[in-house]
Amino acid sequence: VCPEGVVVLRWHLNMPKWWAEANPDELVRYANGDLETPVRTVPIRHIQDDLMRTPRVSLASEKWRQTAREKTVELLRGLSRTPEAAALAGVHVACGVYGEWHYWGFMRNEPDTSQPMQRRFAEYRRKAGRAPAPVPSVDERRALDEGIFRDPARRETVIDYYRCQQELVAGLVVEFCELVKRTWRGPILTGTF
């Protein structure tokens, strides 16, 4: 219909249900409650429950990261051998709530207290030259000192935790965009929301 047309592929790095069931220790855990299991009688889009405490991979999971890297390379190499490869202008890497790299359940819940995030946060604190500390509780995260502000001397752990989260996400976006650029056989656009 449009031989000169090009496409940008949106590539979700979300793990499928079977992977989540096989790797329960790699899933995000929420500081404000246990995982929820919505009861469905009709099929839904996988991202429909992203704001709930549904089983989703922890963005700090090294196992997920390695699998997502392997599957991204597999997709791009396979696609490059097809006639449609000439029409691929870009790859939009997506993960997190609605594929927009927000933390799972972030609007209604407080992620991520999983073991992968505990390890990531411990490493973050170590590199910053700070004493080990657990991922902050809901009460610690909600505590404010002056209006909407936190006193850095009193809330160092919470501030560090949110920085750790945000730097993790930014690093993943850069990493997967670089992977797309290195793997594709020629020039390609890549980015995310």
Side-chain angles (χ1 to χ4, degrees), residues 19-20 23-31 33-36 50 52-61 103-106 109-117 141 161 165:
W19 191 94
N23 297 280
D25 293 342
E26 302 298 316
L27 302 181
V28 69
R29 295 293 185 250
Y30 300 90
D34 293 331
L35 292 175
E36 299 172 289
D50 282 357
M52 298 175 67
R53 292 186 312 271
T54 49
R56 299 288 192 257
V57 69
S58 170
L59 297 179
S61 168
Y103 264 85
W104 303 115
F106 81 101
N109 301 286
E110 285 290 337
D112 175 6
T113 63
S114 68
Q115 286 304 306
M117 181 51 91
R141 296 179 199 198
Y161 179 68
Q165 273 191 342

Side-chain angles (χ1 to χ4, degrees), residues 11-170:
W11 176 234
H12 280 266
L13 300 168
N14 307 353
M15 287 296 113
K17 183 178 178 182
W18 65 262
W19 191 94
E21 289 170 352
N23 297 280
D25 293 342
E26 302 298 316
L27 302 181
V28 69
R29 295 293 185 250
Y30 300 90
N32 62 311
D34 293 331
L35 292 175
E36 299 172 289
T37 307
V39 177
R40 302 283 184 214
T41 57
V42 295
I44 64 156
R45 293 178 64 206
H46 181 70
I47 64 174
Q48 181 172 328
D49 296 325
D50 282 357
L51 294 178
M52 298 175 67
R53 292 186 312 271
T54 49
R56 299 288 192 257
V57 69
S58 170
L59 297 179
S61 168
E62 291 298 324
K63 186 172 186 177
W64 158 77
R65 190 170 156 201
Q66 183 59 36
T67 301
R69 288 175 60 78
E70 291 167 3
K71 293 301 178 184
T72 298
V73 169
E74 181 182 330
L75 170 80
L76 294 172
R77 287 184 178 158
L79 186 57
S80 73
R81 294 188 294 268
T82 69
E84 292 80 12
L88 186 65
V91 176
H92 174 157
V93 292
C95 197
V97 171
Y98 307 141
E100 298 170 2
W101 291 97
H102 303 295
Y103 264 85
W104 303 115
F106 81 101
M107 290 178 71
R108 300 177 187 156
N109 301 286
E110 285 290 337
D112 175 6
T113 63
S114 68
Q115 286 304 306
M117 181 51 91
Q118 295 281 358
R119 287 189 294 274
R120 180 74 179 214
F121 186 52
E123 180 64 12
Y124 182 92
R125 297 271 299 174
R126 186 194 64 76
K127 285 182 178 177
R130 301 199 220 306
V135 166
S137 68
V138 172
D139 289 340
E140 290 171 306
R141 296 179 199 198
R142 291 184 180 158
L144 300 171
D145 301 302
E146 189 67 42
I148 62 169
F149 299 103
R150 292 183 178 94
D151 177 348
R154 295 180 68 204
R155 310 290 177 209
E156 175 188 85
T157 303
V158 173
I159 292 167
D160 278 355
Y161 179 68
Y162 285 130
R163 281 185 176 155
C164 177
Q165 273 191 342
Q166 298 310 309
E167 289 175 17
L168 171 61
V169 170

Side-chain angles (χ1 to χ4, degrees), residues 11 13 65 68-69 72-73 76-77 91-94 101 169-192:
W11 176 234
L13 300 168
R65 190 170 156 201
R69 288 175 60 78
T72 298
V73 169
L76 294 172
R77 287 184 178 158
V91 176
H92 174 157
V93 292
W101 291 97
V169 170
L172 289 168
V173 169
V174 169
E175 177 182 342
F176 281 99
C177 287
E178 285 178 346
L179 181 64
V180 169
K181 293 271 190 184
R182 279 195 318 271
T183 305
W184 195 246
R185 64 176 190 228
I188 191 164
L189 297 171
T190 187
T192 192

